[in-house]
Amino acid sequence: MMEVVYQDYLISDDKSKIDVEAVVAFLSQSYWANTRPPERTIRAIENSYCVGVFYGEQQVGFARVVTDWATFFYLCDVFVDEKHRGNGIGKKLVEAVMSEAVLEGLTGLLGTKDAHGLYERYGFIRDSERFMRRPPQWMAKSNL
């Protein structure tokens, strides 16, 4: 199990800590998932690798990874509650997820409208206006 303490926040992949209602509520207001039915978000959480950010008992951030654990992962549904932005939480969340050894060597993909700079710090490359990809890290290291 992954747990990282950052300032007054806990970043954890313990799925039992995820406040599903809070995640559904946030995503229902997001530009990328506002038309997704809540039951689909719940099913997506159940079937994905999830990481939460907690301030005390309150969930204030989230990231979800869809993967086959062998060749590919898709990073999605990443958010930090507006009241907690500006503290480096988003960077630390993405860093924690990307540091997971099980993702090393896998090709990564994500979609973003406005956070390209954040993801570029972690090896993602712009593929188009909206999508980014991250080559397997052994491949990126061999190109250095």
Side-chain angles (χ1 to χ4, degrees):
M1 185 170 353
M2 180 265 291
E3 290 201 340
V4 174
V5 175
Y6 176 73
Q7 297 175 5
D8 294 330
Y9 298 89
L10 172 66
I11 300 169
S12 175
D13 66 357
D14 181 350
K15 204 179 262 189
S16 71
K17 293 181 186 294
I18 300 293
D19 181 344
V20 175
E21 289 180 18
V23 173
V24 169
F26 185 92
L27 292 176
S28 71
Q29 302 299 310
S30 70
Y31 71 81
W32 66 89
N34 61 359
T35 61
R36 186 189 305 158
E39 59 275 3
R40 291 216 180 233
T41 296
I42 293 167
R43 191 168 0 144
I45 291 168
E46 291 169 353
N47 292 300
S48 299
Y49 173 67
C50 299
V51 178
V53 180
F54 305 91
Y55 184 73
E57 295 297 312
Q58 179 187 16
Q59 180 147 8
V60 300
F62 180 77
R64 188 167 67 83
V65 177
V66 180
T67 183
D68 63 5
W69 302 107
T71 61
F72 170 83
F73 71 89
Y74 178 65
L75 177 63
C76 55
D77 291 343
V78 178
F79 73 83
V80 173
D81 184 282
E82 210 169 296
K83 296 176 206 126
H84 296 269
R85 292 179 192 162
N87 297 319
I89 304 304
K91 292 180 190 112
K92 198 65 177 177
L93 171 59
V94 174
E95 177 185 306
V97 173
M98 293 299 96
S99 295
E100 281 300 288
V102 294
L103 299 180
E104 189 172 323
L106 278 59
T107 297
L109 181 68
L110 64 83
T112 184
K113 197 191 289 188
D114 55 4
H116 297 88
L118 168 66
Y119 297 112
E120 286 169 340
R121 293 174 182 227
Y122 302 100
F124 285 90
I125 302 162
R126 293 179 197 225
D127 242 6
S128 69
E129 191 75 22
R130 180 96 176 247
F131 288 95
M132 299 183 78
R133 67 178 173 80
R134 183 179 117 162
Q137 289 307 284
W138 58 266
M139 184 183 257
K141 289 175 186 171
S142 67
N143 290 334
L144 297 177

